[in-house]
Short mmCIF file of all heavy atoms in Angstrom, two decimals:
data_model
loop_
_atom_site.label_atom_id
_atom_site.label_comp_id
_atom_site.label_asym_id
_atom_site.label_seq_id
_atom_site.Cartn_x
_atom_site.Cartn_y
_atom_site.Cartn_z
N MET V 42 7.25 16.61 1.79
CA MET V 42 7.45 18.04 1.53
C MET V 42 8.94 18.38 1.49
O MET V 42 9.37 19.26 0.72
CB MET V 42 6.74 18.86 2.62
CG MET V 42 6.51 20.30 2.22
SD MET V 42 5.55 20.49 0.69
CE MET V 42 3.95 19.90 1.22
N CYS V 77 14.42 22.99 -14.04
CA CYS V 77 13.98 22.02 -15.04
C CYS V 77 15.17 21.29 -15.65
O CYS V 77 15.06 20.12 -16.03
CB CYS V 77 13.16 22.71 -16.13
SG CYS V 77 11.48 23.13 -15.61
N LEU V 133 13.10 -5.66 -16.71
CA LEU V 133 11.99 -5.79 -17.65
C LEU V 133 12.57 -6.10 -19.03
O LEU V 133 12.73 -5.21 -19.87
CB LEU V 133 11.16 -4.50 -17.68
CG LEU V 133 10.49 -4.08 -16.37
CD1 LEU V 133 9.78 -2.74 -16.53
CD2 LEU V 133 9.51 -5.14 -15.88
N SER V 148 1.88 -5.37 -13.96
CA SER V 148 1.51 -5.48 -12.55
C SER V 148 2.03 -4.26 -11.79
O SER V 148 2.80 -3.44 -12.33
CB SER V 148 2.10 -6.75 -11.95
OG SER V 148 3.51 -6.64 -11.86
N GLU V 215 21.91 3.17 5.41
CA GLU V 215 23.06 3.32 6.31
C GLU V 215 22.75 4.26 7.46
O GLU V 215 23.21 4.07 8.58
CB GLU V 215 24.27 3.82 5.53
CG GLU V 215 24.70 2.91 4.39
CD GLU V 215 25.71 3.59 3.50
OE1 GLU V 215 26.61 4.27 4.04
OE2 GLU V 215 25.60 3.46 2.27
N ARG V 237 18.57 1.26 19.72
CA ARG V 237 18.57 2.04 20.96
C ARG V 237 18.05 3.44 20.65
O ARG V 237 18.81 4.42 20.66
CB ARG V 237 19.98 2.09 21.54
CG ARG V 237 20.06 2.77 22.90
CD ARG V 237 21.47 2.66 23.47
NE ARG V 237 21.75 1.33 23.98
CZ ARG V 237 22.98 0.90 24.31
NH1 ARG V 237 24.01 1.69 24.16
NH2 ARG V 237 23.14 -0.31 24.79
N GLN V 329 -16.93 -20.74 -11.82
CA GLN V 329 -17.10 -21.68 -12.92
C GLN V 329 -17.07 -23.12 -12.42
O GLN V 329 -16.98 -24.06 -13.20
CB GLN V 329 -16.00 -21.44 -13.97
CG GLN V 329 -16.14 -20.08 -14.64
CD GLN V 329 -14.85 -19.60 -15.26
OE1 GLN V 329 -13.77 -20.02 -14.88
NE2 GLN V 329 -14.96 -18.69 -16.22
N ILE V 375 -22.24 5.93 5.26
CA ILE V 375 -22.32 4.78 6.16
C ILE V 375 -23.60 3.99 5.90
O ILE V 375 -23.64 2.76 6.02
CB ILE V 375 -22.23 5.24 7.62
CG1 ILE V 375 -20.83 5.79 7.90
CG2 ILE V 375 -22.55 4.10 8.59
CD1 ILE V 375 -20.65 6.35 9.29
N ALA V 388 -32.66 3.44 10.96
CA ALA V 388 -31.41 3.61 10.22
C ALA V 388 -30.53 4.70 10.82
O ALA V 388 -29.31 4.53 10.96
CB ALA V 388 -31.70 3.91 8.76
N ASN V 407 -22.40 14.49 9.76
CA ASN V 407 -22.72 15.68 8.97
C ASN V 407 -21.51 16.25 8.22
O ASN V 407 -21.63 17.25 7.52
CB ASN V 407 -23.28 16.77 9.89
CG ASN V 407 -24.57 16.34 10.57
OD1 ASN V 407 -25.45 15.76 9.92
ND2 ASN V 407 -24.68 16.58 11.87
N ARG V 418 -10.83 7.81 8.16
CA ARG V 418 -11.59 7.31 7.00
C ARG V 418 -11.74 5.80 7.05
O ARG V 418 -12.80 5.26 6.71
CB ARG V 418 -10.88 7.72 5.71
CG ARG V 418 -10.91 9.20 5.40
CD ARG V 418 -10.01 9.52 4.22
NE ARG V 418 -9.86 10.96 4.06
CZ ARG V 418 -8.88 11.53 3.39
NH1 ARG V 418 -7.94 10.78 2.81
NH2 ARG V 418 -8.81 12.84 3.27
N ASP V 472 1.15 -8.06 4.02
CA ASP V 472 2.10 -7.81 5.10
C ASP V 472 1.95 -8.94 6.12
O ASP V 472 0.99 -8.98 6.89
CB ASP V 472 1.81 -6.46 5.75
CG ASP V 472 2.88 -6.04 6.74
OD1 ASP V 472 3.50 -6.93 7.36
OD2 ASP V 472 3.12 -4.83 6.89
N ASP V 481 -6.16 -15.78 13.55
CA ASP V 481 -6.10 -17.05 14.29
C ASP V 481 -5.49 -18.15 13.41
O ASP V 481 -4.68 -18.93 13.87
CB ASP V 481 -7.50 -17.48 14.73
CG ASP V 481 -8.18 -16.43 15.58
OD1 ASP V 481 -7.55 -15.95 16.54
OD2 ASP V 481 -9.34 -16.07 15.29
#
Side-chain angles (χ1 to χ4, degrees):
M42 198 58 68
C77 284
L133 299 176
S148 69
E215 300 169 42
R237 186 175 284 168
Q329 294 158 337
I375 292 177
N407 299 315
R418 290 171 190 161
D472 189 329
D481 302 311

